[in-house]
Amino acid sequence: MILRSSAITQGIQRSPNRAMLRAVGFSDGDFKKPIVGLANGYSTITPCNIGLNELAKKADKSIKEAGAMPQMFGTITVSDGISMGTEGMKYSLVSREVIADSIETACNAQSMDAVLAIGGCDKNMPGAMIAMARMNIPAIFVYGGTIKPGKLNGEDLTVVSAFEAVGQLTSGKISEKELIEVEKNCIPGAGSCGGMFTANTMSAAIEAMGLSLPHSSTMAAEDQEKLESTERSAKVLIQAIKKQICPRDLLTREAFENAISVVMAVGGSTNAVLHLLAIARSAGVELSIDDFEKIRQKVPVICDLKPSGRFVTVDLHKAGGIPQVMKILLDAGLINGNCRTIEDKTISEVLEEIPSDPPSEQKVIHPIQSPVYKKGHLAILKGNIAIEGSVAKISGIKKPALTGPAKIFESEEECLKAILNKKIAQGDVVVIRNEGPVGGPGMREMLAPTSAIVGQGLGDKVALITDGRFSGGTYGLVVGHVAPEAAIGGNIALIKNGDSITVDANKKLIQLNVAEDELTRRRENWVKPKAKYTSGILGKYARLVSSSSKGAVTDQT
């Protein structure tokens, strides 16, 4: 076993280096042990991450017991739920890059031999995975766990319930007192948002790719088994160091296809498209937005999960979790069982003891012969509005096609104000632009507008398109990630109020029904908008970031 850390711990010439390590707890016998980075996303900023420190302490202890030396360091998080609908949300996707850069910087600067990353909120998972793929040292991810559902009047609540309640209030469906009751009860404790939103989607994808332990992606944050899984994860990582099992050994093209299949099967977030493209790029794997559409055509949605379904992630866990979903897909020939995991097992070996059918009394996971939806729910739409593509989450919608007049908004705030003032009517196509990676900058999530639309009862009566993103909690006839974006001259910038737009999920079409010569004239008159930020991290991000169709990465070549 060749250790990177030997460069700073061995030899007489390394005495000053060793002196620094002695000061943080190393003794004579520790200098030949592997040094394991422990990337701790703990913070009190968000309930998603508030429980991570206990997991980090457990991992620290387990790493030492397994014969290695942990070096704990912190990395940031942003609470999407708190910043949603504000200028602060522009920092959310940016935080994915900061997390990746910080983990890479700490581990490579200190020549660490491996890394165990612990995360909770949405960008923790892809940020850690991007870093792992870049460094390609033995690595494992520990998910902080999902939140348990809130309860009110016998109904399960999630964070999305609070956003939808705002729309219900403005349409007169509930009182302000009822709104406050939802607010007080929807988030009962620690853990990431409880439906199959972005955090739980990405934790499921990581488990499917073999970089976290089986069943770990659906555990509740506050349950004892999460601590036990963390302890075992540390021990598995030490074995991976001995065997030199590295992320790029596991992150193959087939592994990404498995992850996409699982995302489709569980009804996961649109953000999975963005994040998996980014991780694949860091891993050197060819993956395109079109691959999601190809897999969607083959893989049905078999899990009835919020936001568009009935159940939350802890219900999925009780029904068998991601291993049960994967076993069903494996039996149907929809995932590759030869892909390997951090435990040095194949997917087929991992799933060997998993029954082919989930428990009969559960209702979360449907038989593949009678799925929730016959095809995957994340459709890739193209047309003259989105030449590079766009992403539509079409689960739970009654009318997958709509042609209507455009109502243009240059920001999320402008749109939300119009919705709350009841200026959106049945049949409209709402366009929110200049919210893309460059134009936002930061590609904000449009959860507030989409939830308000649903809350007003217009969820299946209007369409919404944007060059921004959507929360994992969004559903309805909504199309995001429109590329090229408005800020760089994409055709979404050329739409005018009243223009006819067709959004058709069945035909995979997003079309501006305007003659090409008219579009050419508009393009000639288009003026590039002035950058909203020219300095600081948002200014830097806007200058570096790639198209959303390529994962919105900042280290493009």
Side-chain angles (χ1 to χ4, degrees):
M1 177 174 58
I2 299 174
L3 300 179
R4 296 205 310 170
S5 60
S6 62
I8 60 171
T9 61
Q10 295 178 30
I12 188 67
Q13 70 275 23
R14 299 302 179 194
S15 184
N17 309 58
R18 295 200 306 271
M20 297 291 288
L21 290 170
R22 288 184 190 280
V24 296
F26 278 61
S27 58
D28 288 348
D30 295 329
F31 292 113
K32 293 184 179 180
K33 295 177 181 178
I35 294 180
V36 177
L38 186 46
N40 182 3
Y42 165 73
S43 77
T44 60
I45 288 174
T46 171
C48 310
N49 289 47
I50 199 168
L52 299 189
N53 212 37
E54 293 306 309
L55 301 184
K57 291 176 183 176
K58 176 65 74 172
D60 184 277
K61 183 173 182 289
S62 185
I63 289 168
K64 287 178 181 174
E65 290 174 349
M69 292 302 292
Q71 293 281 277
M72 190 185 301
F73 59 91
T75 186
I76 69 156
T77 198
V78 167
S79 174
D80 292 358
I82 295 173
S83 62
M84 196 75 69
T86 75
E87 194 77 357
M89 188 62 190
K90 293 182 177 181
Y91 290 86
S92 171
L93 187 57
V94 176
S95 75
R96 184 189 74 179
E97 308 305 298
V98 176
I99 292 164
D101 291 350
S102 67
I103 294 174
E104 177 191 1
T105 300
C107 290
N108 282 348
Q110 306 307 129
S111 300
M112 295 177 185
D113 298 297
V115 63
L116 184 152
I118 305 177
C121 202
D122 293 4
K123 309 310 171 296
N124 296 182
M125 278 70 74
M129 290 292 289
I130 289 168
M132 290 173 182
R134 286 180 189 169
M135 298 184 297
N136 202 35
I137 58 176
I140 195 166
F141 184 79
V142 172
Y143 180 41
T146 186
I147 200 169
K148 293 180 179 179
K151 297 284 186 180
L152 184 64
N153 301 323
E155 296 291 325
D156 284 349
L157 300 181
T158 68
V159 65
V160 175
S161 305
F163 284 93
E164 291 181 359
V166 175
Q168 292 167 346
L169 176 67
T170 59
S171 61
K173 294 180 180 179
I174 63 172
S175 66
E176 187 167 350
K177 181 181 178 181
E178 289 172 306
L179 171 67
I180 297 300
E181 285 302 305
V182 172
E183 174 192 315
K184 288 179 176 179
N185 289 279
C186 65
I187 302 176
S192 298
C193 299
M196 191 46 66
F197 309 148
T198 302
N200 287 323
T201 298
M202 292 311 300
S203 68
I206 294 170
E207 182 178 325
M209 291 190 288
L211 267 294
S212 62
L213 296 187
H215 296 285
S216 65
S217 67
T218 53
M219 291 175 179
E222 297 179 320
D223 285 354
Q224 177 65 26
E225 64 177 343
K226 176 49 67 178
L227 280 167
E228 294 168 356
S229 177
T230 301
E231 181 178 29
R232 183 164 168 260
S233 296
K235 293 175 180 176
V236 166
L237 178 59
I238 305 309
Q239 292 303 310
I241 297 171
K242 294 175 180 178
K243 296 179 180 180
Q244 280 300 288
I245 301 171
C246 296
R248 293 194 187 188
D249 300 326
L250 310 179
L251 294 175
T252 62
R253 164 80 185 194
E254 293 76 17
F256 280 97
E257 290 174 346
N258 283 354
I260 296 170
S261 294
V262 167
V263 168
M264 294 294 178
V266 299
S269 166
T270 52
N271 283 309
V273 178
L274 196 71
H275 297 325
L276 288 172
L277 287 172
I279 298 165
R281 186 195 173 283
S282 293
V285 172
E286 290 292 329
L287 192 72
S288 78
I289 196 169
D290 296 320
D291 292 315
F292 289 81
E293 182 60 36
K294 292 174 185 175
I295 293 173
R296 181 182 86 86
Q297 295 294 330
K298 299 185 293 183
V299 180
V301 178
I302 61 173
C303 295
D304 186 7
L305 294 165
K306 290 180 182 292
S308 60
R310 295 180 292 166
F311 299 100
V312 293
T313 304
V314 291
D315 298 318
L316 174 60
H317 188 64
K318 292 172 187 174
I322 297 305
Q324 183 65 76
V325 173
M326 292 183 72
K327 183 58 174 280
I328 292 170
L329 296 177
L330 181 66
D331 288 348
L334 295 173
I335 61 172
N336 188 318
N338 294 321
C339 293
R340 302 196 71 79
T341 73
I342 191 66
E343 295 181 279
D344 199 21
K345 297 178 181 178
T346 66
I347 292 294
S348 293
E349 289 170 340
V350 170
L351 302 177
E352 191 172 4
E353 301 300 320
I354 303 296
S356 293
D357 299 309
S360 59
E361 67 276 9
Q362 65 82 42
K363 298 180 181 179
V364 184
I365 307 173
H366 287 217
I368 203 159
Q369 299 83 3
S370 54
V372 181
Y373 303 103
K374 293 182 180 179
K375 292 183 179 180
H377 63 302
L378 299 181
I380 305 302
L381 275 55
K382 291 188 175 182
N384 63 359
I385 293 178
I387 297 168
E388 293 178 15
S390 60
V391 184
K393 187 175 184 180
I394 60 174
S395 53
I397 59 172
K398 298 175 183 176
K399 298 177 181 178
L402 187 149
T403 296
K407 285 198 174 177
I408 308 293
F409 302 97
E410 303 297 343
S411 71
E412 177 187 9
E413 290 89 347
E414 187 183 326
C415 178
L416 181 60
K417 183 178 179 181
I419 295 167
L420 296 180
N421 288 331
K422 300 181 181 178
K423 293 184 178 180
I424 304 301
Q426 180 175 335
D428 286 342
V429 178
V430 177
V431 180
I432 308 176
R433 64 190 178 194
N434 291 305
E435 288 283 7
V438 174
M443 208 178 177
R444 286 192 289 182
E445 293 180 348
M446 305 291 117
L447 179 59
T450 57
S451 296
I453 286 171
V454 170
Q456 290 187 353
L458 294 171
D460 59 351
K461 298 179 177 67
V462 303
L464 187 150
I465 68 173
T466 181
D467 51 9
R469 296 183 294 134
F470 293 117
S471 160
T474 294
Y475 61 101
L477 189 55
V478 294
V479 186
H481 307 200
V482 169
E485 62 173 291
I488 63 171
N491 283 349
I492 190 173
L494 309 181
I495 305 171
K496 293 185 175 182
N497 274 311
D499 282 349
S500 172
I501 293 176
T502 296
V503 178
D504 192 326
N506 291 331
K507 294 181 179 179
K508 297 174 286 183
L509 179 68
I510 178 170
Q511 184 76 20
L512 175 59
N513 301 313
V514 171
E516 187 58 40
D517 58 347
E518 170 63 13
L519 282 181
T520 300
R521 186 186 66 79
R522 292 183 188 182
R523 192 172 296 109
E524 290 171 351
N525 294 325
W526 177 75
V527 177
K528 182 179 177 65
K530 187 178 179 180
K532 297 171 186 172
Y533 293 83
T534 56
S535 62
I537 194 168
L538 292 182
K540 179 167 62 175
Y541 183 86
R543 290 190 294 273
L544 294 174
V545 70
S546 73
S547 168
S548 59
S549 67
K550 297 181 180 179
V553 297
T554 55
D555 62 343
Q556 57 184 326
T557 54

